[in-house]
Amino acid sequence: MAEPLRIALAGLGTVGAGVIRLLETNAALLRARSGREMRIVAVSARERHKDRGVDLSPFAWVDDMAELAARDDVDVVVELVGGSDGPALALARKAIASDKALVTANKAMVAHHGAELAAAAERAGTALKFEAAVAGGIPVVKALREGAAANAIGRIYGILNGTSNYILSTMEATGAGFGETLAEAQRKGFAEADPAFDIEGTDAAHKLAILAAICFGAEVDFAGVTCEGITRVRAEDIARADTLGYVVRLIGMADLEAGDDGTTALLQRVRPCLVPKGHPLAHVTGATNAVVAEGNFSGRLLFQGAGAGAGPTASAVVADLIDIARGEIGAPFSIPSAEMAPMPRAEAGHRTGRTYLRFTVADRPGVLAEMTAAMRDAGVSIESLIQQGRQEEGGEVLVAMVAHEGPERNVQHALELLRGSDSFTAPPLSMQILGD
Amino acid sequence: MAEPLRIALAGLGTVGAGVIRLLETNAALLRARSGREMRIVAVSARERHKDRGVDLSPFAWVDDMAELAARDDVDVVVELVGGSDGPALALARKAIASDKALVTANKAMVAHHGAELAAAAERAGTALKFEAAVAGGIPVVKALREGAAANAIGRIYGILNGTSNYILSTMEATGAGFGETLAEAQRKGFAEADPAFDIEGTDAAHKLAILAAICFGAEVDFAGVTCEGITRVRAEDIARADTLGYVVRLIGMADLEAGDDGTTALLQRVRPCLVPKGHPLAHVTGATNAVVAEGNFSGRLLFQGAGAGAGPTASAVVADLIDIARGEIGAPFSIPSAEMAPMPRAEAGHRTGRTYLRFTVADRPGVLAEMTAAMRDAGVSIESLIQQGRQEEGGEVLVAMVAHEGPERNVQHALELLRGSDSFTAPPLSMQILGD
Ligand SMILES: NC(=O)c1ccc[n+]([C@@H]2O[C@H](COP(=O)([O-])OP(=O)(O)OC[C@H]3O[C@@H](n4cnc5c(N)ncnc54)[C@H](OP(=O)(O)O)[C@@H]3O)[C@@H](O)[C@H]2O)c1
Ligand SMILES: NC(=O)c1ccc[n+]([C@@H]2O[C@H](COP(=O)([O-])OP(=O)(O)OC[C@H]3O[C@@H](n4cnc5c(N)ncnc54)[C@H](OP(=O)(O)O)[C@@H]3O)[C@@H](O)[C@H]2O)c1
């Protein structure tokens, strides 16, 4: 048996404690599969004496986690602290600069600094691995970096945030509103006390930017993700979608666009969409994540599983450790980072699609005429219109429409024409309708 | 850029031609991702002058494919001929013995000779890779060998044969019978002229044996797979299942069993099952494959995609070539083959479950009493019984039952008690009901 793989663990929260438990529980199996013992030598967190439900006594304790990167008895630093910058980034940089392999679950850091860290790791000839940063326990980074690597990927998309999916699928099952469902998700531990990162789409955008970089060979461009969360989705939208044959899901999607001049541009978006009930993503409920990759030879591939949680995330962290123990380290984003260039951002406006539009309007004559006139003036043709159900409190009425396949720009234009109209009791909501 | 990876291709049929097309179409991308050019140097098949829709002129032609293994200008032999033994096996042995890497899509060969070939490859320090042998374009071998490698796998199961799934899901959609649907599948190219391998479950059993070896570290044991195909499933069974909230799918499933004496035994089965409509596998229709792995930390992972076809299978073959080009070769079945021991076969009989039973009986008094008495005598308790619908031609009546959770042995015993009864117009069919 080869030398043990000596591990330093920074961060002993949900994921960190999960990794310790996994390495302990599955030790024999890991030894068999990786050919080496996986040995934690040192750990760090903020509070030394917090009870974490795991025995830390076999490991050296370090107060300043940056010291982990400097230790001679460490081969791999595992960063499970979090935060795009600050101590996590400092540790990551220092670990790589010290020729240590780095494993991280930190999507925020990889989304913001992935290009820099990958370049540094390649220069140092060491590994940078982040399977746990995307879709928790689903080995989707590996699936794209390696399993589907023979393919030009046409589109990558999926359900990348468990909290949002839990909320949307619970609203679907119960008919309850967003606020009420969020509060319950918080009580049950499916949403954080401060849920903004999840429900505003930021967390999904982090993951999407990482996936897009792997699939399209572009430098990670988190700032280029257009992002819209689920906070404005109402119970009524879900009911209307259901009537029309759809469910509502928060979808992150990225694809390429070839310009007339031979340039290639990248479109990255996170937003709630209507998903046809026959689509595999429509069956993804609860905190589950799922990713679809469309390869030019493989066709549509689907990867599904738990998107978060101590166990699943630890499973992904340790998969990276096994790769490192086996000496399989390769380029972090599949192609060497020197070849990953920043890619121009595509304009969404000329993309075409079918769109769901929902207006909440004052219940008075002429409002429908105002809206349909704006559609007509913007060149949006209406496929169906539902103004139904009970009148809402305060004289508010809900009008839902489906616009025919057409340029998204036109829909945006129609909404601009209507902007500021005093007929609305709340800003309109538009959601893209996903194809089959 | 490193040296090209020099490839010899044996077999230029569906998959072989697909590989040539893929290497051509995605050449630039493969160079970027693997860091090397993928260069076919020599090819072989039976008929030199057959039109295969691809240009073979750049490659050396070899009449006797065994010669491919002997060439000095070849790094990897890709075996796409088929057949568990014969020329494919001879080529595989010779390639490995000549220190060449071997990539194959040949599930029959890997299921029968995987242990021998893996041991030889490890001795030679070369790669043996067979991503394409299981579930076509889905990178499930990699997902289990690497992505989920941190987990003890509790169960591995899935839809492993596209032809069978196409037939069952078409019967479900159309209400047509088995024979009629098979004939149509053959016309449409979803079933071979000789469909026995697919519809009798052999093909799924090959794949299951390979997956089980990877998940459980046991020597591949194809002969240990109990196998039952879909030929006896009738339209009426699918209709009854639907009424009860299930669909019928051909499921390959493997898991371990700990004996009282500390031994571990392996249970491997392929058979039609009732799958609850809420289960992800219930939504898998057409020729799609899907694999579920239950890890002790990851939880339930699902991998889904095209199970066959030129493009998807080529995608998997070339993924293996990329691994080899990147120098990532590892143990073929995840743990070194020296540590893979033959594992005793578990007895299915004491497993418990709910069972669907269908009898076709003569329409005469006392038949129901005869059947229910046998159930009682065998200790099978009946949860529901449907004797409904029109009387079949020739006075045949269909009786479907669901037996409560209980030992499978009891159901088998009941069927034995009834064996030979002249009340039956056809042998009874029993199908396991999958949990959620
Ligand atoms: N939780 C999940 O399901 C999940 C899933 C995928 C990815 N991730 C990612 O995994 C990472 C960790 O997540 P988590 O849920 O485990 O977080 P967590 O439970 O909040 O744990 C964070 C850990 O980092 C330590 N820490 C924070 N700031 C520190 C500092 N300045 N110096 C030293 N230690 C510090 C904390 O120490 P104390 O314990 O002493 O306070 C704690 O042990 C994040 O990047 C997250 O995005 C999490
Ligand atoms: N088709 C799929 O979707 C699929 C999916 C997964 C795995 N696979 C596996 O991939 C392998 C190839 O399948 P396939 O569908 O491509 O088969 P195929 O279309 O029948 O092609 C077989 C090829 O092997 C050649 N061949 C057969 N016997 C030979 C011999 N004795 N010497 C030299 N060449 C010989 C044939 O030559 P000629 O063309 O000259 O007759 C033909 O080119 C099989 O192991 C299969 O199980 C196939």
Side-chain angles (χ1 to χ4, degrees):
Chain A
M1 171 117 5
E3 294 288 291
L5 185 73
R6 298 165 307 169
I7 298 162
L9 210 56
L12 300 168
T14 305
V15 183
V19 168
I20 294 177
R21 262 191 301 274
L22 195 164
L23 292 179
E24 209 173 278
T25 310
N26 292 349
L29 182 142
L30 294 172
R31 218 170 13 244
R33 290 188 182 155
S34 69
R36 300 167 69 175
E37 183 198 339
M38 303 254 171
R39 184 187 296 170
I40 298 175
V41 295
V43 299
S44 179
R46 269 182 307 223
E47 291 181 49
R48 176 157 194 176
H49 299 291
K50 197 191 263 185
D51 178 10
R52 303 169 189 280
V54 288
D55 179 14
L56 299 178
S57 64
F59 321 130
W61 175 273
V62 166
D63 276 323
D64 172 8
M65 66 177 184
E67 281 175 28
L68 295 173
R71 292 177 71 105
D72 286 338
D73 60 353
V74 166
D75 303 309
V76 193
V77 172
V78 180
E79 183 278 302
L80 303 171
V81 173
S84 62
D85 293 77
L89 181 62
L91 174 68
R93 284 179 173 149
K94 192 167 165 197
I96 292 169
S98 314
D99 291 348
K100 300 200 180 338
L102 182 77
V103 171
T104 179
N106 189 336
K107 41 226 163 190
M109 181 177 78
V110 179
H112 282 94
H113 305 287
E116 173 209 322
L117 294 173
E122 286 175 40
R123 268 196 311 275
T126 190
L128 165 66
K129 295 210 159 254
F130 42 80
E131 183 63 79
V134 183
I138 314 171
V140 66
V141 167
K142 179 172 283 281
L144 297 173
R145 217 191 71 89
E146 305 168 29
N151 295 273
I153 301 293
R155 281 203 298 187
I156 177 91
Y157 63 101
I159 294 172
L160 298 172
N161 183 265
T163 302
S164 298
N165 204 61
Y166 178 86
I167 292 173
L168 290 174
S169 60
T170 304
M171 288 171 72
E172 189 180 305
T174 62
F178 176 79
E180 190 185 331
T181 309
L182 169 61
E184 188 172 330
Q186 288 172 313
R187 267 196 305 279
K188 291 190 173 162
F190 286 104
E192 309 262 338
D194 176 1
F197 252 50
D198 293 312
I199 62 178
E200 302 286 5
T202 315
D203 174 76
H206 285 149
K207 297 170 188 168
L208 181 67
I210 297 170
L211 292 179
I214 298 170
C215 290
F216 303 121
E219 224 172 59
V220 203
D221 180 21
F222 168 67
V225 185
T226 330
C227 190
E228 188 189 321
I230 60 166
T231 54
R232 300 202 299 126
V233 177
R234 296 192 180 190
E236 291 82 359
D237 294 313
I238 291 176
R240 298 289 184 285
D242 180 59
T243 310
L244 294 162
Y246 300 92
V247 299
V248 178
R249 292 288 179 268
L250 183 68
I251 302 289
M253 183 182 293
D255 61 10
L256 293 184
E257 189 170 298
D260 298 333
D261 55 351
T263 57
T264 303
L266 176 62
L267 188 63
Q268 303 178 95
R269 311 201 266 191
V270 171
R271 52 192 181 153
C273 292
L274 266 59
V275 177
K277 287 179 186 169
H279 191 287
L281 293 184
H283 306 297
V284 179
T285 55
T288 305
N289 281 198
V291 178
V292 176
E294 295 173 353
N296 66 339
F297 279 77
S298 64
R300 183 198 274 174
L301 296 169
L302 171 76
F303 308 98
Q304 186 172 321
T313 312
S315 164
V317 168
V318 178
D320 283 346
L321 291 172
I322 294 174
D323 271 359
I324 292 169
R326 287 172 169 169
E328 308 196 336
I329 62 172
F333 290 95
S334 188
I335 67 169
S337 53
E339 293 171 35
M340 297 177 73
M343 206 176 264
R345 294 171 190 167
E347 288 288 335
H350 61 275
R351 294 298 180 101
T352 62
R354 288 169 69 228
T355 310
Y356 166 92
L357 288 150
R358 182 259 294 158
F359 304 92
T360 47
V361 294
D363 188 12
R364 64 172 189 232
V367 170
L368 208 57
E370 182 188 349
M371 287 185 301
T372 50
M375 297 293 154
R376 179 201 58 213
D377 294 347
V380 176
S381 118
I382 297 169
E383 183 181 312
S384 63
L385 186 149
I386 318 179
Q387 174 180 358
Q388 69 178 22
R390 59 191 168 80
Q391 187 175 309
E392 312 285 315
E393 266 175 53
E396 191 185 65
V397 169
L398 236 118
V399 181
M401 304 181 188
V402 172
H404 270 297
E405 176 90 22
E408 294 187 25
R409 170 188 302 129
N410 294 3
V411 172
Q412 290 317 314
H413 184 48
L415 294 176
E416 273 152 33
L417 291 178
L418 289 167
R419 181 170 307 158
S421 158
D422 62 3
S423 302
F424 294 128
T425 56
L429 176 73
S430 73
M431 293 192 279
Q432 193 70 29
I433 301 180
L434 213 69
D436 275 307
Chain B
M1 173 122 358
E3 294 290 292
L5 185 73
R6 298 165 307 169
I7 299 162
L9 210 57
L12 300 169
T14 305
V15 183
V19 167
I20 294 177
R21 262 192 302 274
L22 195 164
L23 292 179
E24 210 173 276
T25 310
N26 292 349
L29 182 144
L30 294 172
R31 218 165 20 239
R33 291 188 181 154
S34 69
R36 299 167 71 175
E37 183 198 340
M38 302 255 171
R39 184 186 296 168
I40 299 176
V41 295
V43 300
S44 178
R46 270 182 307 224
E47 291 181 49
R48 176 158 193 175
H49 299 290
K50 197 191 262 185
D51 178 11
R52 303 170 190 280
V54 288
D55 178 15
L56 300 178
S57 63
F59 321 129
W61 175 274
V62 166
D63 277 322
D64 172 8
M65 66 178 184
E67 281 175 28
L68 296 174
R71 290 177 73 105
D72 286 338
D73 60 353
V74 166
D75 303 309
V76 193
V77 172
V78 180
E79 183 278 303
L80 303 170
V81 171
S84 61
D85 293 77
L89 181 62
L91 174 68
R93 285 178 172 150
K94 192 166 167 201
I96 293 169
S98 315
D99 291 348
K100 300 202 179 337
L102 182 77
V103 171
T104 179
N106 190 335
K107 41 227 163 192
M109 181 177 77
V110 178
H112 282 94
H113 306 286
E116 173 208 321
L117 294 174
E122 286 175 41
R123 267 197 312 276
T126 190
L128 166 66
K129 295 211 157 254
F130 42 79
E131 183 63 80
V134 184
I138 314 171
V140 65
V141 168
K142 179 171 283 281
L144 297 172
R145 218 191 70 90
E146 305 169 28
N151 295 273
I153 302 292
R155 279 204 300 187
I156 179 90
Y157 63 102
I159 294 172
L160 298 172
N161 182 265
T163 301
S164 298
N165 204 61
Y166 177 86
I167 292 173
L168 290 174
S169 60
T170 302
M171 287 170 73
E172 189 180 306
T174 62
F178 176 79
E180 189 186 331
T181 309
L182 169 61
E184 189 172 329
Q186 288 172 313
R187 267 196 305 279
K188 291 190 174 162
F190 285 104
E192 310 262 340
D194 176 1
F197 252 49
D198 293 312
I199 62 179
E200 302 286 5
T202 315
D203 174 76
H206 285 149
K207 297 170 186 169
L208 180 67
I210 297 171
L211 292 179
I214 298 170
C215 289
F216 303 120
E219 223 172 61
V220 203
D221 180 21
F222 167 68
V225 184
T226 331
C227 189
E228 187 191 322
I230 60 166
T231 54
R232 298 202 300 125
V233 176
R234 295 194 183 189
E236 291 81 0
D237 295 313
I238 291 178
R240 299 287 185 285
D242 180 59
T243 310
L244 294 161
Y246 300 92
V247 298
V248 179
R249 293 287 180 268
L250 182 68
I251 301 289
M253 183 181 294
D255 61 10
L256 293 184
E257 192 171 296
D260 297 334
D261 54 352
T263 56
T264 302
L266 175 63
L267 188 62
Q268 304 178 94
R269 310 202 267 190
V270 171
R271 52 192 181 152
C273 291
L274 266 58
V275 177
K277 287 180 187 169
H279 191 288
L281 293 185
H283 306 296
V284 179
T285 56
T288 304
N289 280 198
V291 178
V292 176
E294 294 174 353
N296 65 341
F297 279 76
S298 64
R300 183 199 275 174
L301 296 169
L302 171 76
F303 308 98
Q304 187 173 322
T313 312
S315 164
V317 168
V318 179
D320 283 346
L321 292 172
I322 294 174
D323 271 359
I324 292 168
R326 286 172 170 169
E328 309 198 333
I329 63 173
F333 290 95
S334 189
I335 68 169
S337 52
E339 292 171 36
M340 297 177 73
M343 206 176 265
R345 295 172 189 166
E347 289 286 337
H350 61 276
R351 294 297 180 100
T352 62
R354 288 169 69 229
T355 310
Y356 166 93
L357 287 149
R358 183 258 294 158
F359 304 92
T360 46
V361 294
D363 188 13
R364 63 173 190 231
V367 170
L368 207 56
E370 180 187 353
M371 288 186 298
T372 50
M375 298 291 152
R376 180 201 58 213
D377 295 346
V380 176
S381 117
I382 297 168
E383 182 182 311
S384 63
L385 185 148
I386 318 180
Q387 173 179 0
Q388 67 178 22
R390 60 194 168 76
Q391 188 174 307
E392 313 285 317
E393 268 176 51
E396 190 186 66
V397 169
L398 235 118
V399 181
M401 304 180 187
V402 172
H404 271 297
E405 176 90 23
E408 295 185 25
R409 168 188 303 128
N410 294 3
V411 172
Q412 291 317 315
H413 184 48
L415 294 177
E416 273 152 33
L417 291 178
L418 289 166
R419 182 169 308 159
S421 158
D422 63 3
S423 302
F424 294 127
T425 56
L429 175 72
S430 73
M431 294 191 275
Q432 193 69 30
I433 301 181
L434 212 69
D436 275 307

